[in-house]
Amino acid sequence: MTQNKTTTAKAYAAASATTPLAASTITRRAPTDQDVQIEILYCGVCHSDLHFVRNEWGFTQYPAVPGHEIIGRVTATGKAVKKFKVGEVVGVGCLVDSCRTCPDCQAGLEQFCNGMVMTYGSADKHLGGGTLGGYSQGIVVTEDFVLRIPANLNPASAAPLLCAGITTYSPLRRWKVGPGQKVGIVGLGGLGHMGVKFARAFGAHVVLFTTSPSKAADALRLGAHEVVISKDAAQMAAQAGSFDFILDTVAAVHDLNAYINLLKRDGNLVLVGAPGEPLAIAAFPLIMKRRSFSGSLIGGLPETQEMLDFCSAHHITCDVEMIRMDQINEAYERMLKSDVKYRFVIDMATL
Ligand code: NAP
Ligand code: ZN
Ligand code: ZN
């Protein structure tokens, strides 16, 4: 479909895998009847943004504009839009469209649809080229992929719920984490700190695994009952065979077998971290106790709204450090050093 009245928006884009993000101007489509036009107020910085910009997953097309933890204000709505009004604060996460008809879409699991359109890095069927994400002034999204943001959530602190929140909420719900269970969260970054908050809110006994001893006090404050320094072999050995469930949020290659060994019989290790290189799995830790290893990808639209409403009811938001748009490249370097407490959020007024 070709559009006539496109608009331009200021943005931050990478021109190649090795160039820093820099100011640029992009094109957004004119809203169709089903579309919501959004002025972006805040955008969270996910480690996936960094993987994508640096082409660590191998499918990035340039120019690349990342950002999929978007909070903004509605500035216009198409004629057929029913759920949103101009002026309302809304959210957009990792998905902006899907086929709407396949079994995954009908089950509300749009993230698994073969025709799903990611907020950045998918083919843009309206304008051609790739979809461009939230490090920008504005975005136009079909209303079914726009989320309601409960009024009692601080908009800047709610932004990372749109990816870090749903990515940890979804597997904890699917594997029915709750009272009486011992649950591990590996890595205290953007995803990990939300995993700790949700696992605690669901009633589990929560153990945080970290490579950063300096984060131990924060982990307890965020809701962990125990902290294990994963580089300390004796601390790891003391936890062997004791976990019902472990959620691994680590962004780099690391030893999964060390965590599989910590599971009880029939326990589950679920990976959400997405390093670009393969991770080695040894046979014996898995087969000896019938343990399982699985992955999980963000969450569908209904579950994302459920998560936002859960956060509203339980007063849960993210611990954020606000940055200016021109601090993004420095923020990426800090993220690589595990120096984030615990999610950077860009104030889009600084664009
Ligand atoms: P992040 O804020 O950078 O946090 C990652 C944490 O992993 C770090 O804070 C650090 O925690 C730990 N870590 C880093 N390097 C490590 C290493 N070499 N060995 C052991 N631990 C290490 O990243 P994020 O935004 O939470 O994202 C985490 C990963 O999830 C990324 O790969 C991202 O692409 C992926 N992701 C997946 C999905 C999905 O749907 N599956 C969605 C969003 C993001 P400590 O300092 O506590 O050790
Ligand atoms: Zn993300
Ligand atoms: Zn579909």
Side-chain angles (χ1 to χ4, degrees):
M1 196 192 325
T2 341
Q3 296 286 327
N4 331 335
K5 282 187 263 161
T6 57
T7 52
T8 56
K10 287 198 269 185
Y12 253 53
S16 80
T18 52
T19 38
L21 289 153
S24 108
T25 302
I26 60 170
T27 302
R28 294 297 191 189
R29 67 179 185 261
T32 67
D33 288 355
Q34 289 74 34
D35 280 342
V36 177
Q37 186 184 55
I38 299 162
E39 176 200 3
I40 300 176
L41 303 173
Y42 303 105
C43 186
V45 179
C46 180
H47 206 112
S48 299
D49 300 352
L50 189 160
H51 291 308
F52 175 73
V53 160
R54 301 192 178 176
N55 197 24
E56 291 174 2
W57 295 327
F59 61 80
T60 309
Q61 290 184 350
Y62 296 92
V65 177
H68 58 204
E69 295 182 336
I70 299 169
I71 295 280
R73 194 179 298 284
V74 177
T75 48
T77 54
K79 283 203 292 276
V81 170
K82 295 199 175 63
K83 287 188 289 186
F84 301 102
K85 292 197 168 51
V86 170
E88 212 173 326
V89 172
V90 295
V92 178
C94 303
L95 299 173
V96 289
D97 208 349
S98 70
C99 87
R100 320 289 184 100
T101 55
C102 74
D104 294 320
C105 287
Q106 286 182 353
L109 297 169
E110 298 87 353
Q111 74 271 35
F112 303 122
C113 169
N114 290 328
M116 60 110 155
V117 182
M118 294 182 297
T119 305
Y120 58 80
S122 286
D124 185 337
K125 65 189 175 201
H126 297 269
L127 297 174
T131 51
L132 303 173
Y135 295 7
S136 67
Q137 252 181 330
I139 191 165
V140 178
V141 179
T142 187
E143 89 166 311
D144 293 342
F145 286 74
V146 177
L147 283 309
R148 278 184 292 103
I149 301 300
N152 67 333
L153 298 182
N154 174 289
S157 314
L161 296 175
L162 278 320
C163 176
I166 184 60
T167 301
T168 48
Y169 182 93
S170 182
L172 292 170
R173 282 298 198 209
R174 172 161 175 80
W175 275 272
K176 298 186 169 52
V177 160
Q181 292 183 358
K182 187 172 174 187
V183 170
I185 305 290
V186 187
L188 196 65
L191 268 55
H193 95 289
M194 293 314 299
V196 167
K197 291 189 187 199
F198 285 133
R200 177 70 186 243
F202 297 165
H205 179 86
V206 183
V207 182
L208 184 274
F209 293 90
T210 182
T211 59
S212 310
S214 64
K215 294 180 183 175
D218 280 348
L220 297 173
R221 175 180 60 78
L222 292 164
H225 296 92
E226 297 176 55
V227 179
V228 172
I229 307 303
S230 54
K231 293 188 265 194
D232 182 327
Q235 286 190 37
M236 291 292 278
Q239 301 282 344
S242 68
F243 283 83
D244 298 283
F245 180 88
I246 299 177
L247 184 67
D248 185 330
T249 75
V250 173
V253 170
H254 61 291
D255 182 17
L256 290 175
N257 304 297
Y259 294 99
I260 293 173
N261 275 321
L262 303 189
L263 295 170
K264 291 179 184 168
R265 170 175 52 78
D266 292 325
N268 291 291
L269 173 66
V270 174
L271 180 69
V272 287
E277 299 297 320
L279 300 168
I281 298 270
F284 277 85
L286 271 184
I287 64 181
M288 290 306 285
K289 290 198 182 283
R290 201 165 60 189
R291 294 151 168 155
S292 299
F293 173 55
S294 317
S296 185
L297 177 67
I298 50 173
L301 272 292
E303 193 175 40
T304 305
Q305 191 64 60
E306 174 192 307
M307 177 273 309
L308 289 165
D309 296 341
F310 180 89
C311 288
S312 170
H314 295 262
H315 305 284
I316 293 174
T317 49
C318 311
D319 287 35
V320 306
E321 177 178 340
M322 298 298 296
I323 60 167
R324 296 188 315 269
M325 187 73 254
D326 65 7
Q327 292 176 299
I328 187 67
N329 295 302
E330 185 193 326
Y332 279 10
E333 292 313 310
R334 283 183 54 195
M335 191 151 65
L336 285 174
K337 288 187 252 168
S338 303
D339 175 25
V340 192
K341 289 180 175 167
Y342 280 90
R343 192 60 134 191
F344 293 119
V345 171
I346 308 161
D347 179 355
M348 278 303 156
T350 64
L351 181 63

